[in-house]
Coordinates of all heavy atoms in Angstrom, one line a residue:
M1445 N -5.6 12.7 -8.4 CA -4.8 12.1 -7.3 C -3.8 11.1 -7.9 O -4.1 10.4 -8.9 CB -5.8 11.3 -6.4 CG -5.2 10.5 -5.4 SD -6.1 10.2 -3.9 CE -6.1 11.8 -3.2
E1446 N -2.6 11.1 -7.3 CA -1.6 10.3 -7.9 C -1.8 8.8 -7.7 O -2.3 8.4 -6.6 CB -0.3 10.6 -7.1 CG 0.5 11.8 -7.7 CD 1.8 11.9 -7.1 OE1 2.6 10.9 -7.0 OE2 2.2 13.0 -6.6
T1447 N -1.5 8.0 -8.7 CA -1.7 6.6 -8.6 C -0.8 6.0 -7.5 O -1.3 5.0 -6.8 CB -1.3 5.9 -10.0 OG1 -2.0 6.6 -11.0 CG2 -1.5 4.5 -10.0
R1448 N 0.4 6.5 -7.3 CA 1.2 5.9 -6.2 C 0.6 6.1 -4.9 O 0.6 5.2 -4.0 CB 2.6 6.6 -6.2 CG 3.4 6.2 -7.4 CD 4.8 6.7 -7.3 NE 4.8 8.2 -7.1 CZ 5.8 8.9 -6.8 NH1 7.0 8.4 -6.7 NH2 5.7 10.2 -6.6
L1449 N -0.1 7.2 -4.6 CA -0.7 7.5 -3.4 C -1.9 6.5 -3.2 O -2.1 6.0 -2.1 CB -1.2 8.9 -3.3 CG -1.9 9.4 -2.0 CD1 -1.0 9.1 -0.8 CD2 -2.3 10.8 -2.1
L1450 N -2.7 6.3 -4.3 CA -3.8 5.4 -4.2 C -3.3 4.0 -3.9 O -4.1 3.2 -3.2 CB -4.6 5.4 -5.5 CG -5.6 6.5 -5.7 CD1 -6.2 6.5 -7.0 CD2 -6.6 6.5 -4.6
Q1451 N -2.2 3.6 -4.3 CA -1.7 2.3 -4.0 C -1.3 2.0 -2.6 O -1.4 0.9 -2.1 CB -0.4 2.0 -4.9 CG -0.7 1.9 -6.4 CD 0.5 1.7 -7.2 OE1 1.6 2.0 -6.7 NE2 0.4 1.3 -8.4
I1452 N -1.0 3.1 -1.8 CA -0.6 2.9 -0.4 C -1.8 3.2 0.6 O -1.8 2.8 1.7 CB 0.6 3.7 0.0 CG1 0.4 5.2 -0.2 CG2 1.8 3.2 -0.8 CD1 1.6 6.0 0.3
L1453 N -2.8 4.0 0.1 CA -3.9 4.4 1.0 C -4.8 3.2 1.1 O -5.1 2.5 0.1 CB -4.7 5.6 0.4 CG -4.1 6.9 0.6 CD1 -4.9 8.0 0.0 CD2 -3.9 7.2 2.1
V1454 N -5.3 2.9 2.3 CA -6.3 1.9 2.5 C -7.5 2.5 3.4 O -7.3 3.5 4.0 CB -5.7 0.6 3.2 CG1 -4.7 0.0 2.4 CG2 -5.1 1.0 4.6
C1455 N -8.6 1.8 3.4 CA -9.7 2.2 4.2 C -9.3 2.1 5.7 O -8.7 1.1 6.1 CB -10.9 1.2 3.9 SG -12.3 1.5 5.0
P1456 N -9.5 3.2 6.4 CA -9.2 3.2 7.8 C -10.0 2.3 8.7 O -9.7 1.9 9.8 CB -9.3 4.6 8.3 CG -10.3 5.2 7.3 CD -10.1 4.5 6.0
V1457 N -11.2 1.8 8.2 CA -12.0 0.9 8.9 C -11.7 -0.5 8.7 O -11.5 -1.3 9.7 CB -13.5 1.2 8.5 CG1 -14.5 0.2 9.2 CG2 -13.9 2.6 8.7
C1458 N -11.6 -1.0 7.4 CA -11.3 -2.4 7.2 C -10.0 -2.7 6.6 O -9.6 -3.9 6.4 CB -12.4 -2.9 6.2 SG -12.3 -2.4 4.5
K1459 N -9.2 -1.7 6.3 CA -7.9 -1.8 5.6 C -7.9 -2.3 4.2 O -7.0 -2.9 3.7 CB -6.9 -2.7 6.5 CG -6.8 -2.3 7.9 CD -6.4 -0.9 8.1 CE -6.2 -0.6 9.6 NZ -6.9 0.5 10.1
G1460 N -9.1 -2.2 3.6 CA -9.3 -2.7 2.2 C -8.9 -1.6 1.2 O -8.6 -0.5 1.5
T1461 N -8.9 -2.1 -0.1 CA -8.6 -1.2 -1.2 C -9.6 -0.2 -1.5 O -10.8 -0.4 -1.3 CB -8.4 -2.1 -2.5 OG1 -7.5 -3.1 -2.2 CG2 -7.9 -1.3 -3.7
L1462 N -9.1 1.0 -1.9 CA -10.0 2.1 -2.2 C -10.0 2.4 -3.7 O -9.1 2.1 -4.4 CB -9.6 3.4 -1.5 CG -9.5 3.3 0.1 CD1 -8.8 4.5 0.6 CD2 -11.0 3.3 0.6
R1463 N -11.2 2.9 -4.2 CA -11.3 3.3 -5.6 C -11.5 4.8 -5.6 O -12.2 5.4 -4.8 CB -12.5 2.6 -6.1 CG -12.8 3.0 -7.6 CD -14.0 2.2 -8.1 NE -15.2 2.4 -7.3 CZ -16.1 3.5 -7.4 NH1 -15.8 4.4 -8.3 NH2 -17.2 3.5 -6.7
H1464 N -10.9 5.5 -6.6 CA -11.0 6.9 -6.7 C -12.2 7.3 -7.6 O -12.2 6.9 -8.7 CB -9.7 7.5 -7.3 CG -9.6 9.0 -7.4 ND1 -8.8 9.6 -8.2 CD2 -10.3 9.9 -6.7 CE1 -9.0 10.9 -8.1 NE2 -9.9 11.1 -7.1
D1465 N -13.1 8.0 -7.0 CA -14.2 8.6 -7.8 C -13.9 10.0 -8.2 O -14.1 10.9 -7.3 CB -15.5 8.5 -7.0 CG -16.7 9.0 -7.7 OD1 -16.6 9.6 -8.8 OD2 -17.9 8.8 -7.2
R1466 N -13.4 10.2 -9.4 CA -13.0 11.5 -9.8 C -14.1 12.5 -9.9 O -13.9 13.7 -9.6 CB -12.3 11.4 -11.1 CG -11.0 10.6 -11.1 CD -10.3 10.6 -12.5 NE -9.3 9.5 -12.5 CZ -8.1 9.6 -12.1 NH1 -7.7 10.7 -11.5 NH2 -7.2 8.6 -12.1
E1467 N -15.3 12.1 -10.3 CA -16.4 13.0 -10.5 C -16.8 13.6 -9.2 O -17.1 14.8 -9.1 CB -17.6 12.2 -11.1 CG -18.8 13.1 -11.3 CD -20.0 12.3 -11.8 OE1 -19.8 11.1 -12.3 OE2 -21.1 12.8 -11.7
H1468 N -16.9 12.8 -8.1 CA -17.3 13.4 -6.8 C -16.1 13.7 -5.9 O -16.4 14.1 -4.7 CB -18.2 12.4 -6.1 CG -19.5 12.1 -6.8 ND1 -19.8 10.9 -7.4 CD2 -20.5 13.0 -7.1 CE1 -21.0 11.0 -8.0 NE2 -21.4 12.3 -7.9
Q1469 N -14.9 13.5 -6.3 CA -13.7 13.7 -5.5 C -13.8 13.0 -4.2 O -13.8 13.6 -3.1 CB -13.5 15.2 -5.3 CG -13.0 15.9 -6.6 CD -11.6 15.3 -7.0 OE1 -10.6 15.4 -6.3 NE2 -11.6 14.7 -8.2
E1470 N -13.9 11.7 -4.3 CA -14.0 10.8 -3.1 C -13.2 9.6 -3.3 O -12.9 9.2 -4.4 CB -15.4 10.4 -2.8 CG -16.4 11.5 -2.5 CD -17.8 11.1 -2.4 OE1 -18.3 10.2 -3.1 OE2 -18.5 11.6 -1.5
L1471 N -12.8 8.9 -2.2 CA -12.2 7.6 -2.2 C -13.3 6.7 -1.7 O -13.8 6.9 -0.6 CB -11.0 7.6 -1.4 CG -9.8 8.4 -1.9 CD1 -8.6 8.3 -0.9 CD2 -9.3 7.9 -3.2
I1472 N -13.6 5.6 -2.5 CA -14.7 4.7 -2.2 C -14.1 3.4 -1.6 O -13.2 2.8 -2.2 CB -15.5 4.4 -3.4 CG1 -15.9 5.7 -4.1 CG2 -16.6 3.5 -3.2 CD1 -16.9 6.5 -3.3
C1473 N -14.7 3.0 -0.5 CA -14.5 1.6 0.0 C -15.7 0.8 -0.3 O -16.7 1.0 0.4 CB -14.2 1.6 1.5 SG -14.0 0.0 2.2
P1474 N -15.6 -0.1 -1.2 CA -16.8 -1.0 -1.6 C -17.2 -1.9 -0.5 O -18.3 -2.3 -0.3 CB -16.4 -1.7 -2.9 CG -14.9 -1.6 -2.9 CD -14.5 -0.4 -2.1
T1475 N -16.2 -2.4 0.3 CA -16.5 -3.3 1.4 C -17.4 -2.7 2.5 O -18.4 -3.3 2.9 CB -15.2 -3.8 2.0 OG1 -14.4 -4.4 1.0 CG2 -15.5 -4.9 3.1
D1476 N -17.0 -1.5 3.0 CA -17.8 -0.8 4.0 C -18.8 0.1 3.5 O -19.6 0.7 4.3 CB -16.8 0.0 4.9 CG -15.8 -0.9 5.7 OD1 -16.3 -1.9 6.2 OD2 -14.7 -0.6 5.7
R1477 N -18.9 0.3 2.1 CA -19.8 1.2 1.5 C -19.7 2.6 2.1 O -20.7 3.2 2.4 CB -21.2 0.6 1.6 CG -21.4 -0.8 0.9 CD -22.7 -1.1 0.4 NE -23.5 -0.1 -0.1 CZ -23.5 0.3 -1.4 NH1 -22.6 -0.1 -2.2 NH2 -24.4 1.2 -1.8
L1478 N -18.4 3.1 2.1 CA -18.2 4.4 2.6 C -17.4 5.2 1.5 O -16.7 4.6 0.7 CB -17.3 4.4 3.9 CG -17.9 3.8 5.1 CD1 -16.8 3.6 6.2 CD2 -19.1 4.6 5.6
A1479 N -17.6 6.5 1.5 CA -17.0 7.4 0.6 C -16.2 8.5 1.5 O -16.8 9.2 2.2 CB -18.0 8.1 -0.3
F1480 N -14.9 8.5 1.3 CA -14.1 9.5 2.0 C -13.8 10.7 1.1 O -13.4 10.5 0.0 CB -12.8 8.8 2.5 CG -13.0 7.7 3.4 CD1 -13.1 6.4 3.0 CD2 -13.0 7.9 4.8 CE1 -13.3 5.3 3.8 CE2 -13.2 6.8 5.7 CZ -13.4 5.6 5.2
P1481 N -14.1 11.9 1.6 CA -13.9 13.0 0.7 C -12.4 13.4 0.5 O -11.6 13.1 1.3 CB -14.6 14.2 1.5 CG -14.4 13.7 3.0 CD -14.5 12.2 2.9
I1482 N -12.2 14.0 -0.7 CA -10.9 14.6 -1.0 C -11.1 16.1 -1.0 O -11.9 16.6 -1.8 CB -10.4 14.1 -2.3 CG1 -10.3 12.6 -2.3 CG2 -9.1 14.8 -2.7 CD1 -9.9 12.0 -3.7
R1483 N -10.5 16.8 -0.1 CA -10.7 18.3 0.0 C -9.3 19.0 -0.3 O -8.3 18.7 0.3 CB -11.1 18.7 1.4 CG -12.5 18.1 1.7 CD -13.0 18.6 3.1 NE -14.2 18.0 3.4 CZ -14.5 17.4 4.6 NH1 -13.6 17.4 5.5 NH2 -15.6 16.8 4.8
D1484 N -9.4 19.8 -1.3 CA -8.2 20.6 -1.7 C -7.1 19.6 -2.1 O -5.9 19.9 -1.8 CB -7.7 21.6 -0.7 CG -8.8 22.7 -0.4 OD1 -9.4 23.1 -1.4 OD2 -9.0 23.1 0.7
G1485 N -7.4 18.5 -2.7 CA -6.4 17.5 -3.1 C -5.9 16.6 -2.0 O -5.0 15.8 -2.2
V1486 N -6.5 16.7 -0.8 CA -6.0 15.9 0.4 C -7.1 15.0 0.8 O -8.2 15.4 1.1 CB -5.6 16.8 1.6 CG1 -5.2 16.0 2.8 CG2 -4.5 17.8 1.2
P1487 N -6.9 13.7 0.8 CA -7.9 12.7 1.2 C -8.1 12.8 2.7 O -7.2 12.9 3.5 CB -7.4 11.3 0.9 CG -6.0 11.5 0.4 CD -5.7 13.0 0.3
V1488 N -9.4 12.9 3.1 CA -9.8 13.0 4.6 C -10.2 11.6 5.0 O -11.3 11.1 4.7 CB -10.9 14.0 4.8 CG1 -11.3 14.1 6.3 CG2 -10.5 15.4 4.3
M1489 N -9.3 10.9 5.6 CA -9.4 9.5 5.9 C -10.0 9.2 7.3 O -9.6 8.2 8.0 CB -8.1 8.7 5.7 CG -7.5 8.9 4.3 SD -8.7 8.4 3.0 CE -8.8 6.6 3.4
L1490 N -10.8 10.1 7.8 CA -11.4 9.9 9.1 C -12.8 9.2 9.0 O -13.6 9.7 8.2 CB -11.6 11.3 9.8 CG -10.3 12.0 10.1 CD1 -10.6 13.4 10.5 CD2 -9.4 11.3 11.0
P1491 N -13.0 8.2 9.7 CA -14.3 7.5 9.6 C -15.5 8.4 9.9 O -16.5 8.3 9.2 CB -14.3 6.4 10.6 CG -12.8 6.1 10.8 CD -12.1 7.4 10.6
G1492 N -15.4 9.4 10.7 CA -16.4 10.3 11.0 C -16.7 11.3 9.9 O -17.8 11.9 9.9
E1493 N -15.8 11.5 9.0 CA -16.0 12.4 7.8 C -16.5 11.6 6.6 O -16.9 12.3 5.6 CB -14.6 13.0 7.5 CG -14.1 14.0 8.5 CD -14.9 15.3 8.6 OE1 -15.4 15.8 7.5 OE2 -15.2 15.7 9.7
A1494 N -16.5 10.3 6.7 CA -17.0 9.5 5.5 C -18.5 9.6 5.5 O -19.2 9.7 6.5 CB -16.5 8.1 5.6
R1495 N -19.0 9.4 4.2 CA -20.5 9.3 4.1 C -20.8 7.9 3.6 O -20.0 7.2 2.9 CB -21.0 10.3 3.1 CG -20.7 10.0 1.6 CD -21.4 11.0 0.7 NE -21.0 10.7 -0.7 CZ -21.5 9.7 -1.4 NH1 -22.6 9.0 -1.0 NH2 -21.1 9.5 -2.6
A1496 N -22.0 7.4 4.0 CA -22.4 6.1 3.6 C -22.8 6.2 2.1 O -23.3 7.3 1.6 CB -23.6 5.7 4.4
L1497 N -22.5 5.2 1.3 CA -22.8 5.3 -0.1 C -24.3 5.4 -0.4 O -24.6 5.7 -1.5 CB -22.1 4.1 -0.8 CG -20.6 4.1 -1.0 CD1 -20.1 2.9 -1.7 CD2 -20.2 5.4 -1.7
D1498 N -25.1 5.1 0.5 CA -26.5 5.2 0.4 C -27.0 6.7 0.4 O -28.1 7.0 -0.1 CB -27.3 4.5 1.4 CG -26.9 3.0 1.5 OD1 -26.5 2.5 0.4 OD2 -27.1 2.4 2.5
Q1499 N -26.1 7.6 0.9 CA -26.4 9.0 0.9 C -25.9 9.7 -0.4 O -24.9 9.3 -1.0 CB -25.7 9.7 2.1 CG -26.1 9.1 3.4 CD -25.2 9.7 4.5 OE1 -24.2 10.3 4.3 NE2 -25.6 9.5 5.8
A1500 N -26.6 10.8 -0.7 CA -26.2 11.5 -1.9 C -24.9 12.4 -1.6 O -24.8 12.8 -0.5 CB -27.3 12.5 -2.4
P1501 N -24.0 12.5 -2.5 CA -22.8 13.4 -2.3 C -23.2 14.8 -2.1 O -24.2 15.3 -2.7 CB -21.9 13.2 -3.5 CG -22.8 12.5 -4.5 CD -24.0 11.9 -3.8
E1502 N -22.5 15.5 -1.2 CA -22.8 17.0 -1.1 C -22.2 17.7 -2.2 O -21.2 17.4 -2.8 CB -22.1 17.4 0.2 CG -22.7 16.8 1.5 CD -22.0 17.3 2.7 OE1 -21.3 18.3 2.6 OE2 -22.2 16.7 3.8
Q1503 N -22.9 18.7 -2.6 CA -22.5 19.6 -3.8 C -21.9 20.8 -3.3 O -22.2 21.4 -2.4 CB -23.7 19.9 -4.7 CG -24.3 18.6 -5.3 CD -23.3 17.9 -6.2 OE1 -22.5 18.6 -6.9 NE2 -23.4 16.6 -6.3

């Protein structure tokens, strides 16, 4: 994922900074403890599509 894109994307819930988890292809919001998936190179920034960080990532 491009660094420039990461600089402008924010969490849709709290508007906080996101961290890119390359291993699981997710954008992580540490404040809300949510992980937003990246599918086919496109971040899915819908709160309903996010998983709680307490859950295991889907394989």
Side-chain angles (χ1 to χ4, degrees):
M1445 171 154 288
E1446 277 191 46
T1447 304
R1448 289 185 309 171
L1449 182 58
L1450 278 174
Q1451 291 173 344
I1452 61 172
L1453 283 177
V1454 296
C1455 173
V1457 178
C1458 72
K1459 309 301 185 238
T1461 304
L1462 298 169
R1463 178 180 56 83
H1464 185 203
D1465 180 347
R1466 295 179 196 281
E1467 180 182 344
H1468 296 113
Q1469 286 299 297
E1470 296 176 321
L1471 294 176
I1472 307 294
C1473 176
T1475 304
D1476 294 316
R1477 301 207 30 85
L1478 293 174
F1480 297 91
I1482 300 172
R1483 296 187 186 127
D1484 297 322
V1486 178
V1488 181
M1489 303 303 295
L1490 300 170
E1493 292 290 320
R1495 72 171 178 86
L1497 287 180
D1498 302 335
Q1499 299 173 347
E1502 295 180 15
Q1503 297 295 326

